[in-house]
Amino acid sequence: MKLALTIKSNFWKKLHHQLPLWREVVMPGLSVVGFIMLARSIGLLQSQEWLVFDQLLRVRPNEAIDQRVVIVGIDEDDINYVGSYPIPNREIAKMLNILHTYKPRVIGLDLFKDKHSNSDRADLALALRENTNIIGIEVALNQKRTFNVNLPPELPPERVGFADLIVDPDGKLRRNVLAAKTHMGKLKYSLPLCLAQFYLREQGIIFHHGSSSYDPIQFGSSRLVRFLPNSGGYVGTDANGFQILLNFRSHPEPFRTLSLRDVLTKKIDPNWIRDRVVIVGMTASSIKDTFTTSAVKRTLYTRDLGIENSANQFQSIYGVEIHAHTTSQIISNVLDGRPLLKVWPEFWEYLWILAWGLLGIILGLILQSPVKTLLNLGLASIALVGICYILLVVGWWIPLVPTLLSLAGAGLTTSFFDRDLRTLLEQRSLTLKRSFETIHNGPLQTLAVILRSLGEDIETEKLRSQLEQLNRELRSIPDSLSQEMLSRNDSLYLEGNVVIDLQIPIAELLYHIYDSTLQRKFQGFETIQSFIPPNFEPLEECYLNADQKRSLYLFFQEALCNVGKHSQRATRLDVVCTRSASEYCLQIIDNGVGILSKSNYQSGGGGTDQAQYLARKLRGKFRRFRHSPQGTVCELTWPVASTWWQRFLYPGNWKFFSARTDGT
């Protein structure tokens, strides 16, 4: 229980210590997320979201062709066939009468027939009156009355739907108006809604709607999803009337399409028409009854141009096709459960954006490598796109562009600030480490000799000399540290203003460390009678980077200094360097007494920490043990890893020896 409380206390202390650092890193990332949400809320990302929305709709899997909806398109060949435009009323009447013999459930006449003074009007008027399943069109929602088009005089108002369509500011069609009040206050319904209402009524499905255009529209138990001003990627959009998002049927040829010639010459299968919704409209490019979209795989317009699967961002689509898609969308939702496009409440959308931004911040924090951060942000972005795509397939439009920007922007910003902060902390840590090494291997070694001498009779002049040496070493520390930091790890600064280039071969440097250290006036060196010159040739093919070399040299210097400071009555000092098939070994051996008997040294001090740190960096092992029959062995071993890439990474091992003194 006590151990658990201690661990918990240490965790909260560590967390409290880390919070200021995290705040410095996290706040910039959160600021990026906040800026992106603000940009979305004022509509700066609206066009980009529309574009991505269109692309995701277009790349959905193919659906089955909707056999319930048939288009009779009057194209250029039909105009040439009848010999005039507009198509004569008698030809339209003949077509309607032929279609009626095939027993369609409802016919939508997407042609303006408000003029009743034509000489051939009688045939058309008779066809419109006798065929009670024909729905005509009008234009009724323009504020200026001259822009509107009246309904055919032969049809009652309940058999007429408006053909008004609404486009977004970028000129593309993504939504449709199903119900709206005219500027005179009269409630009107669109052609697709009238067609769907007529078709579903034959199956006993009742249409429900209130007296206001904003009231819910319902067929049986199925309720249509109304478009709101901030639905999906829209911001502050005019949502007057009852609008819905267009969920275009995903197929290169979503509906069966016939021509006027096919009907007039009766070259059609009656089963194609029987009990179907038939929509008659213009599909001639010269008439310009077209709109722009990029959310469909192909349109009749692109088909006529011979384009199999258009990747164009601006595809032309005929008005009759739009009415077919809208009618099919309503009927398929009611009968088949095909999803309408829905959106989350705004609160959940912004929470979604924030959540992915926080994920980016977390990735930027835990992945310290820029490469790993970019890779994981890339994978997370792919996952985000996949999730939004799957949700759109099942009918949910989730914001992608601001979420993607939030994830990547917050992640990269956090990684950038975290890298800078870690670099600063590493620089501070390196400065402290170098300061300790410089003090430990210089003044502290001299101070240890002085303290050891205080218990013995020591001449005043000798003590003065040692104190002056300590004073010089202390005063030289700032200059040595500043020069070493500016050298970018390429040099090692030793006592006496000796500067060693770390790019020279290891063996040469170890010889230099050996000679310079033994010249220091340590008591343990005075009794040594036998100095066997060391052989560092086994290390000639050892490949280390500059930092590893520096640590190795300091370890070697520290081990020699320990013999000089702590060994008593030592008469022999051996440095043994060997290489086996699997590892290198460096041993410093003396035959004195005193080193391992020092409790503070046995338990490990600063020098021991340096040695263990070096062993970890080299993936090796550090040991200190008694030598038989007397003395101490200080041993460092590390594995041999001589590969071609190490020669490439550490070319300094092949340079010639060069040492500088006096800082020059």
Side-chain angles (χ1 to χ4, degrees), residues 352 356 382-392 398:
W352 168 264
W356 282 90
I382 293 173
L384 172 60
V385 173
I387 292 172
C388 290
Y389 172 74
I390 293 172
L391 289 174
L392 187 61
I398 309 303

Side-chain angles (χ1 to χ4, degrees), residues 100-301:
H100 184 69
T101 61
Y102 297 136
K103 302 186 182 305
R105 188 172 297 186
V106 63
I107 298 174
L109 187 61
D110 185 27
L111 299 172
F112 294 112
K113 294 299 176 183
D114 57 319
K115 308 298 182 184
H116 58 276
S117 59
N118 302 59
S119 59
D120 61 348
R121 183 73 180 192
D123 292 340
L124 177 61
L126 182 62
L128 293 177
R129 291 191 187 100
E130 291 184 348
N131 300 327
T132 57
N133 62 344
I134 296 178
I135 307 294
I137 62 168
E138 63 177 333
V139 176
L141 304 183
N142 290 305
Q143 186 172 2
K144 195 170 183 179
R145 294 183 60 185
T146 55
F147 289 167
N148 293 325
V149 179
N150 294 328
L151 67 163
E154 296 83 3
L155 295 178
E158 61 271 16
R159 285 174 54 197
V160 177
F162 62 78
D164 302 66
L165 295 174
I166 185 170
V167 296
D168 290 326
D170 64 350
K172 295 182 182 179
L173 193 77
R174 298 182 181 89
R175 51 201 167 104
N176 205 346
V177 185
L178 298 185
K181 282 190 175 182
T182 66
H183 292 281
M184 301 299 293
K186 187 175 182 180
L187 182 61
K188 298 275 189 177
Y189 295 119
S190 70
L191 173 64
L193 185 62
C194 291
L195 294 174
Q197 180 182 352
F198 200 102
Y199 183 90
L200 294 171
R201 186 174 61 198
E202 295 296 317
Q203 296 189 205
I205 299 175
I206 306 302
F207 170 77
H208 297 282
H209 187 232
S211 59
S212 171
S213 60
Y214 300 104
D215 290 337
I217 293 179
Q218 191 167 337
F219 288 93
S221 60
S222 299
R223 177 176 291 189
L224 302 186
V225 180
R226 180 169 175 258
F227 173 84
L228 298 175
N230 294 323
S231 290
Y234 288 87
V235 178
T237 305
D238 181 4
N240 286 327
F242 195 101
Q243 302 179 31
I244 63 170
L245 288 167
L246 280 172
N247 189 7
F248 291 98
R249 200 165 192 87
S250 180
H251 196 280
E253 296 182 5
F255 313 107
R256 188 184 302 279
T257 303
L258 308 174
S259 67
L260 176 62
R261 303 184 313 281
D262 294 333
V263 178
L264 294 179
T265 58
K266 300 183 180 180
K267 293 181 178 179
I268 55 177
D269 186 339
N271 293 323
W272 296 348
I273 304 298
R274 184 174 294 111
D275 212 30
R276 305 287 197 265
V277 176
V278 180
I279 307 178
V280 181
M282 298 302 301
T283 57
S285 59
S286 61
I287 306 307
K288 302 301 182 186
D289 182 25
T290 58
F291 297 84
T292 302
T293 182
S294 58
V296 294
K297 296 180 183 297
R298 194 174 69 163
T299 67
L300 294 177
Y301 189 92

